[in-house]
Amino acid sequence: MTSALHSPAAPVRRCDILIIGAGPAGMAAALTAAPSGAAIVLVDDNPAPGGQIWRDGPGAHLPPLARAHRERLAGLPNVRVLTGTRVVGLGDTPATDTAPALLLEDGQQGWTQHCGRLVLCTGARELLLPFPGWTLPGVTGAGGLQALIKAGLPVRGQRIVIAGTGPLLLAAAHTAREAGAQVLRIAEQTPWGQLAAFGLQLPRWPAKAVQALPLLHPALRAASHVLEARGTNQLQSVRLQRGTDEEVLECERLACGFGLVPHTHLGQMLGCALNDRQGLAVDAVQATAVPGVFAAGECTGFGGSDKALVEGAMAGHAAAGDTTAALALAPQQARWQSFADALHQRFALSPQLRSLLRPDTLVCRCEDVRHADLAPRAGWIDAKLHTRCGMGPCQGRVCGAAAQFLYGWTPAPAHHLLAPARIATLAGIDESTP
Ligand SMILES: Cc1cc2nc3c(=O)[nH]c(=O)nc-3n(C[C@H](O)[C@H](O)[C@H](O)COP(=O)(O)OP(=O)(O)OC[C@H]3O[C@@H](n4cnc5c(N)ncnc54)[C@H](O)[C@@H]3O)c2cc1C
């Protein structure tokens, strides 16, 4: 990474536009807003910009578009990229400010960041659904395995089973194969009919069709889902449902992903409403209903990197005050939104996945809360009060989304703190007003 992309030692505590998340959406927002001359701060908790799809690391191969975005950002004097920096909560917002202040923390310090406009590009995370054995070492998310391989995890020669739903399974399988792993099975829960219907729609987005073709793999099976991960201290085999049959495969790794969940906690803490896809609700120029706050990309609903790029550009224009330029991108946004709609329609989760759990299957792995403890509870708050579900280190990010699918509960976001913060960060809140 070039020095221009390193976090500065002394943070600038006020900027014109603060962007949270340096994935495709956040990078596009910064690049689009930069010609306005606004002072921009782009924050990401990863060591390098790129987000999920352009994640960097010793095992990653960045595509030219990702490299071009990074190089352009590094050359902009009015854009500060703060990597290794995360939002831990809300700051005190002076009455004169239009956008909310946020509490940020990096490896050395915490501070309150004030801004004129705030753009949320916080992306999405995988939906991990519990099943017997899902907490065994060797079992990860599908995107999680991909991220580990990009970070340098050696998988050469290992036998891997990938299960769940959606195009991310094929992308994860491709990454694993490139790293020398043997992909034994890609178990896609969606039936062949739905997959074929999705395939027939793909020519509407030729770039996606071109991306998808090389990812197809002979180990792909439709109407197939995981039943159980087996092993004592380590994964040894996986039991899968295949249509009306079952199969057992011996393997070293199982990677499961059941789609993506928009990262909305920060937006919800700020008072943003959700849309019917559980993403942050925005208007025609990506503005949320909270004054001064915009949102773009996967946090408004999953739909892939092209949708994230165009929405990021729209939010960048709008945050810089050019709503005409933002609206001019509406046809492109509609085109990628229709791709997102097709994904939602064709890869809808099967209700069968709710019946994988046994009474002793852990649902909240941070606090060791079993399905039998949760099933009788009336809702998320009741479950938290009686079982500590969602009160561990992940703060409900994993089990909250699972509980929503399994029990139909609506996990409530935190009120003030988004993530565990250092005492020094919290103690310094009052001194940090610019
Ligand atoms: C695990 C995973 C793997 C994926 N792999 C692929 C793939 O191989 N191919 C593909 O087409 N799509 C993939 N996707 C889908 C991918 O998310 C989108 O295509 C694209 O990356 C979305 O861009 P985005 O900018 O909206 O979000 P993201 O790329 O997710 O970027 C959001 C960024 O915000 C940061 N962030 C979030 N909250 C905070 C906070 N509180 N403080 C600081 N930073 C924060 C995140 O760390 C992240 O870097 C993957 C998704 C996931 C979850």
Side-chain angles (χ1 to χ4, degrees):
M1 200 169 45
T2 65
S3 59
L5 287 181
H6 273 298
S7 305
V12 174
R13 289 177 169 161
R14 177 174 287 283
C15 60
D16 298 321
I17 301 176
L18 174 62
I19 302 169
I20 307 300
M27 291 168 106
L31 289 172
T32 312
S36 70
I40 298 168
V41 171
L42 175 58
V43 168
D44 198 289
D45 50 6
N46 281 304
Q52 297 292 0
I53 185 170
W54 294 338
R55 182 180 285 276
D56 204 353
H61 305 285
L62 283 185
L65 187 61
R67 283 202 299 273
H69 273 64
R70 279 173 59 161
E71 279 159 23
R72 285 179 61 204
L73 272 180
L76 291 169
N78 58 330
V79 179
R80 274 175 182 247
V81 183
L82 306 186
T83 52
T85 305
R86 60 188 182 142
V87 181
V88 293
L90 306 186
D92 285 332
T93 307
T96 48
D97 276 10
T98 42
L102 298 181
L103 191 58
L104 305 187
E105 192 177 81
D106 65 13
Q108 283 79 46
Q109 59 209 316
W111 71 97
T112 302
Q113 183 73 44
H114 300 267
C115 61
R117 295 277 182 276
L118 175 62
V119 185
L120 303 177
C121 300
T122 46
R125 61 185 184 280
E126 280 188 284
L127 174 61
L128 303 175
L129 293 180
F131 53 87
W134 76 291
T135 55
L136 274 173
V139 183
T140 60
L145 177 65
Q146 197 187 34
L148 287 168
I149 293 172
K150 288 181 180 178
L153 178 81
V155 292
R156 182 163 297 282
Q158 292 187 356
R159 296 165 299 175
I160 298 185
V161 172
I162 296 180
T165 195
L168 185 53
L169 301 187
L170 296 179
H174 182 73
T175 305
R177 275 202 323 276
E178 296 266 292
Q182 187 189 352
V183 176
L184 299 183
R185 179 70 67 239
I186 305 171
E188 165 60 65
Q189 56 111 51
T190 301
W192 280 121
Q194 291 293 321
L195 290 185
F198 182 69
L200 288 174
Q201 282 176 293
L202 270 185
R204 289 171 59 195
W205 310 280
K208 293 289 178 194
V210 169
Q211 277 171 25
L213 279 176
L215 299 184
L216 290 175
H217 191 275
L220 174 67
R221 297 289 181 278
S224 178
H225 63 260
V226 65
L227 291 171
E228 182 182 14
R230 291 170 167 173
T232 40
N233 298 319
Q234 180 74 33
L235 177 74
Q236 287 168 333
S237 64
V238 176
R239 192 161 65 90
L240 296 168
Q241 184 80 46
R242 261 184 66 185
T244 52
D245 297 333
E246 286 187 16
E247 68 176 339
V248 176
L249 297 170
E250 291 188 2
C251 57
E252 282 76 42
R253 292 191 179 276
L254 167 64
C256 288
F258 294 92
L260 301 179
V261 187
H263 249 311
T264 57
H265 283 191
L266 175 56
Q268 286 180 276
M269 276 173 69
L270 293 166
C272 301
L274 296 186
N275 57 31
D276 57 4
R277 297 259 164 95
Q278 300 305 311
L280 297 174
V282 290
D283 68 9
V285 294
Q286 303 297 132
T288 72
V290 177
V293 180
F294 299 80
E298 222 86 304
C299 65
T300 65
F302 74 80
S305 56
D306 296 286
K307 175 175 165 290
L309 282 167
V310 69
E311 288 184 356
M314 291 171 81
H317 280 309
D322 191 347
T323 49
T324 309
L327 286 171
L329 294 173
Q332 282 186 49
Q333 196 278 342
R335 178 172 150 70
W336 294 116
Q337 185 58 51
S338 66
F339 176 71
D341 295 343
L343 283 176
H344 277 270
Q345 186 192 359
R346 301 300 176 191
F347 293 95
L349 286 181
S350 159
Q352 262 188 308
L353 298 173
R354 292 196 180 94
S355 58
L356 303 180
L357 298 101
R358 295 180 189 143
D360 64 347
T361 305
L362 292 182
V363 176
C364 171
R365 62 191 300 173
C366 297
E367 296 288 338
D368 286 351
V369 186
R370 303 168 313 151
H371 172 50
D373 305 322
L374 290 174
R377 308 280 29 135
W380 179 247
I381 298 295
D382 187 39
K384 279 181 92 165
L385 289 174
H386 286 91
T387 69
R388 292 194 53 80
C389 177
M391 295 171 79
C394 95
Q395 287 291 295
R397 280 181 185 77
V398 176
C399 60
Q404 191 155 14
F405 175 72
L406 294 171
Y407 311 117
W409 299 342
T410 309
H415 291 299
H416 195 80
L417 276 183
L418 191 65
R422 288 194 294 266
I423 296 290
T425 302
L426 302 176
I429 289 176
D430 290 337
E431 296 163 24
S432 60
T433 307

